[in-house]
Structures are given as C-alpha cells and as structure tokens.
Amino acid sequence: MAERRSPAGLPPTRRTVLRTGLAAGLAGLALPAAAACAPGPPAEALRVAGGEQGGFYLEFATLLAASLQRHGVARTASALETGGSLDNLDRLASGGATLAIALSDAAADRLRTQRMLALGKVYENYLHCLVRADSGITVPADLAGRTVAVGDPRSGTSLTAARLLAAAGLATAPSSAAHRPDPLPPRTVGAVGLGLNQGLAALHDGAVEALFWSGGVPTAAITAFAGATRARLLDLSELLPALRSRFGAFYDRVLIREDSYAGVPATWTVGVANLLLCREDLSADVARAAVGLLLEHSAELVPAASRGVQYLSPETLISTAGVPLHPGAEDAYRIFHG
C-alpha cells in the first residue's frame, strides 16, 4: 500500500503511486509474505459489511469480497449494503457479517461494550461538509441556525459529525427535512439523520443547508451532485485541536484536492482511518490469508475512480486504534516483517 502522507503533505493522486509504494515495501520480502498467505482451509462463506450505494465503503467491500473468493480465502464471499460503520458493528456482533469496515473512532467507542478483533488499518476517510455555493455558509460557525444532514444514524458519519459540531461549540436539536424547528436556540444546528443519497437530495431541494459525509475521494454520489449543482466544501481543519483534545487522537488533517469534484476548490478537512474488523470466531487460517491480500494484493482493492485515497503502508496496517489484532493477523504481520 502507498506510503501515508505527512500531516502537512499532499496525498498521492494516482493508483500507480499505491502500486509503486507497495512493490517497494515488498522488495526482498517475497518469501516471508508468501508464507504469511500460506493456504489453509477456505471459509465456506464470508460476508463483508460495507455501506451505502455511491459510497466508498460498499465499493471497497465489493472488491474485497471478490478478492477473497478469487484467491481461495472463501468458497463464496459477498458485500453487504448497509448504513455504515455503526450498522456494520451491529452486524458483526449479531453474526450477520463476518468482516466489517468501520471508522476507527466508532470502533474504539464500541469496543467498550462489544468484542471484536482487527485485521488491519486500511485507509483514510475524508469528512465532507458540503454546502451549496450560494448558501452564504463559509466556516463551521455559520452552521448555527441551519438545518444540516448529519448522516444516517447507523453510520460513522453521524458519530464524527456530532463530535465535530461539539468541537465547534455548536449544540444540536433533532430535526427533519420536512419540518424545521423555528427558531433554533443560539449556536444550535437542526440535525437531520439522513445518509448520503437522501441527504444530497435534500440539499438539492433546499430541505437541508449542509451535508456531512465521511468517505473516500471522490465519492461517486457527490461527484454527480457537484456536476449538476454549484457546491463548496467547508474547511474543517480548524477544529482539529478541539476535536483531538475532547475525543482522542483519531483525527488527522487531510486535503481534498481541487480536481476531486467539479468546480469545488481544494479544501483541508478532517480524516479518520478505517479498520477492517472481524468476529473473534474467525479462523486463524482465514484471518492470516485475508491479511495476505492486504499485503500482497492491495491494488485489487482500490476503486477505479479513487484519487488521493490514503491507503496506509504495510508498516502502519497494525495501528488499529486499540482494537486487538486477530491472532492470525498477528502471525501474518510477524512473518511479513520478519
């Protein structure tokens, strides 16, 4: 996987960067890496909890499921369309999913009440705060008194957005796209629990005035929206000190580049790493082989439209925000790193 940028640096923009970085990381390590992915009994069926249509989670989960099946890690593997991180964690707990993608802040929060293991820290999500270009909203403080789509209640976006608004000194009042509380108390946002596609429709119609979304760059549904509606993104990076102080070191400063969405200038924002998680009863052989895909076949896991996605290097896959690694994953990384 491509090397991660420094906090002040620019993210890579081409899939070839990822492939080049991965090849360099694997140089001289072919035998240990092959041993990490030594074949064992395949799983009968694996279900990977992904996300919403038009978002990066579902694209990644679909590619991962295809790779798991292609390389014999499972006889069959499928991606599940879900509401996002919190929904994925619920499905992992219930047995509805074998593997799940979740934001690191959501996983760490849930770890207090739910048992899970990690296979690796796979890539960075970018928090988007999208507004119409003619909205008059230019900084996070301008969201006061506005109605804002804060993510599907089952998504990690809803958790991160709530924390970001708190870091901005803004309270939230439950609202809906059909009914706005009028007037809102001072320094209060009307929070509407809409996911990506419903939120974009509400933003287009004027039912909400801003949309939070945590995803890869570009997010296909936002690409379509920006192609038809003049939009801008808010710079959220000014909130990082308060966000990290109140909620932990899960958050980074990342750049959404100028060429990511039509007509939208380059914008600094907040990044949150994603974890690939599993149930505790996943066999060591399957966990070891799945990590082998992350180490040796990561180029198969990059959606074709992605730009500047912060895939992490083999050295940082093990940084899982306090979620313990599966023993099979530990074996794979130990062999890989010698």
Side-chain angles (χ1 to χ4, degrees):
M1 292 184 178
E3 291 183 358
R4 188 182 185 183
R5 50 90 188 104
S6 66
L10 297 181
T13 60
R14 294 180 178 87
R15 300 177 77 196
T16 52
V17 175
L18 183 146
R19 292 193 183 99
T20 301
L22 180 65
L26 295 176
L29 292 174
L31 289 177
C37 197
E44 194 60 39
L46 294 179
R47 295 179 297 277
V48 185
E52 293 186 63
Q53 287 286 348
F56 199 87
Y57 270 23
L58 186 58
E59 291 182 89
F60 179 83
T62 301
L63 292 171
L64 178 59
S67 188
L68 289 165
Q69 189 167 321
R70 182 184 307 116
H71 294 285
V73 180
R75 297 189 192 282
T76 62
S78 58
L80 303 177
E81 185 176 341
T82 73
S85 291
L86 302 183
D87 191 10
N88 292 352
L89 292 168
D90 287 341
R91 292 179 188 233
L92 203 63
S94 69
T98 325
L99 306 177
I101 310 158
L103 290 170
S104 59
D105 58 349
D109 188 63
R110 185 66 69 86
L111 194 61
R112 294 178 293 181
T113 57
Q114 179 178 340
R115 298 176 66 87
M116 68 187 88
L117 295 172
L119 297 180
K121 177 182 177 181
V122 287
Y123 69 92
E124 194 94 0
N125 257 26
Y126 296 67
L127 190 61
H128 299 59
C129 186
L130 188 72
V131 299
R132 296 176 68 110
D134 59 0
S135 66
I137 302 171
T138 59
V139 295
D142 292 339
L143 295 173
R146 312 279 188 154
T147 304
V148 178
V150 295
D152 188 305
R154 302 170 296 169
S155 71
T157 298
S158 65
L159 173 68
T160 308
R163 291 181 171 186
L164 187 137
L165 291 169
L170 298 173
T172 56
S175 184
S176 73
H179 173 71
R180 304 185 194 185
D182 189 22
L184 286 165
R187 298 195 62 76
T188 299
V189 170
V192 186
L194 295 177
L196 176 63
N197 296 297
Q198 288 182 318
L200 287 171
L203 184 61
H204 177 270
D205 295 341
V208 302
E209 296 170 87
L211 164 79
F212 279 105
W213 166 253
S214 183
V217 175
T219 292
I222 295 178
T223 298
F225 180 90
T229 306
R230 290 182 61 243
R232 71 159 64 97
L233 293 165
L234 298 192
D235 184 336
L236 304 176
S237 63
E238 67 182 65
L239 301 174
L240 270 170
L243 197 58
R244 291 170 68 94
S245 175
R246 291 188 61 174
F247 300 109
F250 303 105
Y251 308 102
D252 297 311
R253 184 174 186 248
V254 294
L255 182 69
I256 298 178
R257 299 176 67 95
E258 184 174 11
D259 59 351
S260 299
Y261 301 108
V264 178
T267 308
W268 288 102
T269 190
V270 171
V272 188
N274 282 290
L275 306 180
L276 181 59
L277 303 166
C278 65
R279 290 177 52 83
E280 290 184 307
D281 56 6
L282 185 69
S283 79
D285 284 332
V286 171
R288 193 179 301 113
V291 169
L293 298 182
L294 300 180
L295 291 167
E296 298 185 81
H297 298 285
S298 62
E300 298 180 10
L301 307 178
V302 187
S306 66
R307 301 175 188 169
V309 173
Q310 292 300 298
Y311 272 81
L312 307 182
S313 72
E315 290 70 28
T316 57
L317 278 165
I318 60 175
S319 301
T320 53
V323 180
L325 281 168
H326 190 289
E330 287 184 348
D331 289 345
Y333 292 123
R334 188 179 298 114
I335 295 169
F336 178 83
H337 290 295

